[in-house]
């Protein structure tokens, strides 16, 4: 039986908070993008991502200040010591930020060439690539039972995604592209997702640098990557309609939740690991499905959904043994 110290450990708390935050974030994000209210569905998601990174920078700066008893001089000195005077160490964090940008482009390419069902099922392989890179980079020992649990988790989430995804004729239009290119793109996205997550975990756990400094470094590089993506993809739209076009209070809630979510993920990686983060994400997907069915009434579960739920529950139990 789990003790109170285990139930209320930073590891357990961060996993529970991540699950709840992800669920709430997706619900509000979906509402903000589909609501018919004026000004709620026309904003650029790329600008929201950039603003979320900026918010994360401010939160991290505040936490570093808190660690220095709100002495600005000590805070600036710590930032200079850990970032400015350690350029090579800082550059290490640019890899996850860059891979995140590459991953987003790969997923866009995959969606342009694959039908929704194939995409959703194949992308669940990121669970296995995360485990694989955990073994390679972190020398983590996974027993056969844990590998079986991860395979079952992948299968279960694939079934759930099949039942909750939109596989209408509209989404099938993607099949006009090249399935081979789409499959290669989504497999590469799985690899970049697994590697970047485990690499960041290795950085966090392999040095004495504080979590907030690491987040500050990651946020800085993410702002650069997000800014360049906006300039390349959305600059004409922004010039015509403005950076904050379509923004309202819901958009800002989405921005704040995304920023907080990024910090929660970093805490999960620090106190738990990326594999357990995959289980938290799986539970969140199940919660979203049941909320959509029971309260929102915009989803009708199928046998795939219930079978997938059972697989996820059993996989979670088996992995805990």
């Amino acid at each position: 039986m789990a003790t109170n110290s285990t139930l209320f450990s930073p590891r357990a708390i961060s996993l529970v908070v991540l699950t709840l935050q992800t669920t709430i974030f997706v619900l509000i994000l979906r509402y903000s993008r589909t609501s018919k209210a004026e000004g709620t569905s026309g904003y650029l998601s790329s600008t929201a991502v950039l603003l979320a990174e900026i918010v994360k920078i401010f939160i991290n700066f505040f936490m570093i200040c808190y660690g220095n008893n709100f002495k600005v001089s000590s805070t600036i000195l710590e930032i200079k010591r850990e970032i400015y005077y350690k350029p090579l160490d800082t550059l290490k964090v640019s890899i996850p930020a860059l891979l995140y940008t590459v991953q987003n482009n790969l997923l866009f390419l995959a969606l342009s060439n694959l039908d929704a069902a194939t995409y959703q099922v194949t992308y669940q392989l990121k669970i296995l690539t995360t485990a694989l890179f955990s073994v390679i980079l972190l020398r983590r020992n996974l027993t056969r039972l844990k590998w079986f649990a991860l395979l079952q988790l992948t299968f279960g989430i694939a079934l759930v995604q099949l039942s909750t995804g939109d596989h209408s004729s509209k989404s099938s239009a993607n099949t006009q592209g090249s399935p081979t290119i789409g499959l290669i793109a989504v497999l590469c996205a799985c690899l970049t997702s697994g590697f970047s997550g485990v690499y960041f975990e290795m950085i966090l756990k392999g040095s004495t640098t504080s979590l907030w400094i690491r987040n500050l470094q990651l946020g800085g590089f993410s702002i650069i990557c997000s800014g360049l993506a906006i300039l390349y993809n959305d600059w004409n739209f922004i010039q015509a309609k403005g950076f904050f076009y379509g923004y309202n209070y819901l958009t800002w809630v989405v921005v704040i939740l995304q920023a907080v979510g990024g910090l929660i993920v970093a805490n999960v990686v620090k106190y738990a690991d990326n594999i357990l983060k995959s289980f938290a994400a799986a539970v969140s997907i199940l919660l979203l499905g049941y909320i959509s069915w029971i309260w929102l009434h915009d989803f009708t579960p199928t046998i795939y959904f219930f079978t997938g739920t059972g697989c996820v529950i059993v996989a979670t139990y088996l992995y805990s043994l």
Side-chain angles (χ1 to χ4, degrees):
M1 182 179 294
T3 63
N4 286 336
S5 60
T6 302
L7 289 173
F8 296 101
S9 65
R11 169 175 169 154
I13 292 173
S14 60
L15 285 168
V16 171
V17 171
L18 176 62
T19 303
L20 295 176
Q21 183 276 334
T22 303
T23 305
I24 295 170
F25 171 72
V26 172
L27 288 171
I28 295 180
L29 175 63
R30 185 172 64 176
Y31 180 75
S32 74
R33 300 298 287 177
T34 59
S35 173
K36 300 301 181 182
E38 182 180 354
T40 59
S41 60
Y43 69 90
L44 285 172
S45 58
S46 57
T47 61
V49 170
L50 177 61
L51 289 173
E53 295 297 337
I54 294 173
V55 171
K56 276 195 284 187
I57 290 288
F58 280 106
I59 294 175
N60 283 301
F61 185 78
F62 175 82
M63 294 306 298
I64 296 170
C65 281
Y66 174 77
N68 286 285
N69 297 317
F70 294 103
K71 295 179 180 178
V72 177
S73 58
S74 299
T75 300
I76 294 175
L77 183 64
E78 180 181 355
I79 292 173
K80 287 178 66 176
R81 183 179 67 249
E82 296 294 337
I83 297 178
Y84 183 75
Y85 293 124
K86 297 180 180 179
L88 293 179
D89 187 63
T90 301
L91 281 174
K92 291 179 182 178
V93 189
S94 67
I95 295 176
L98 179 61
L99 287 177
Y100 178 73
T101 304
V102 172
Q103 178 186 334
N104 282 340
N105 284 279
L106 285 170
L107 293 177
F108 179 80
L109 180 62
L111 280 168
S112 300
N113 290 277
L114 290 176
D115 62 275
T118 304
Y119 165 80
Q120 288 173 334
V121 171
T122 311
Y123 190 46
Q124 301 316 312
L125 290 174
K126 65 182 179 179
I127 297 172
L128 298 180
T129 60
T130 298
L132 180 63
F133 283 117
S134 294
V135 172
I136 296 173
L137 297 179
L138 300 176
R139 308 298 182 192
R140 186 163 288 139
N141 182 31
L142 296 178
T143 63
R144 291 182 180 179
L145 182 61
K146 289 189 183 296
W147 276 112
F148 177 75
L150 289 168
L151 284 168
Q152 189 164 0
L153 178 69
T154 304
F155 178 71
I157 288 300
L159 287 178
V160 170
Q161 292 285 55
L162 273 176
S163 67
T164 58
D166 178 13
H167 311 309
S168 63
S169 58
K170 291 181 181 179
S171 64
S172 64
N174 292 334
T175 57
Q176 294 176 359
S178 170
T180 302
I181 292 177
L183 192 60
I184 292 173
V186 75
L187 289 176
C188 289
C190 291
L191 289 171
T192 56
S193 174
F195 178 80
S196 59
V198 175
Y199 180 81
F200 186 58
E201 180 181 347
M202 184 175 68
I203 292 175
L204 280 179
K205 296 178 176 177
S207 70
T208 57
T209 304
S210 74
L211 175 64
W212 307 114
I213 288 290
R214 287 302 188 200
N215 278 330
L216 198 65
Q217 293 170 324
L218 183 62
F221 286 115
S222 296
I223 286 174
I224 294 173
C225 292
S226 298
L228 291 175
I230 288 176
L231 288 175
Y232 182 77
N233 295 314
D234 301 314
W235 183 243
N236 290 335
F237 182 94
I238 290 173
Q239 282 186 312
K241 298 190 175 183
F243 187 91
F244 295 102
Y245 175 80
Y247 273 60
N248 74 341
Y249 76 96
L250 270 179
T251 315
W252 289 106
V253 171
V254 167
V255 167
I256 293 171
L257 280 175
Q258 184 165 358
V260 172
L263 299 177
I264 294 172
V265 167
N267 275 274
V268 168
V269 170
K270 176 73 173 180
Y271 296 111
D273 56 59
N274 275 281
I275 298 177
L276 291 177
K277 187 185 78 173
S278 297
F279 279 90
V283 173
S284 176
I285 291 172
L286 295 183
L287 284 175
L288 286 167
Y290 281 102
I291 290 172
S292 297
W293 173 34
I294 297 172
W295 283 289
L296 302 181
H297 306 294
D298 59 358
F299 165 63
T300 302
T302 65
I303 187 64
Y304 292 118
F305 181 80
F306 292 118
T307 304
T309 298
C311 288
V312 170
I313 293 172
V314 173
T316 304
Y317 172 73
L318 291 177
Y319 193 84
S320 68
L321 295 178

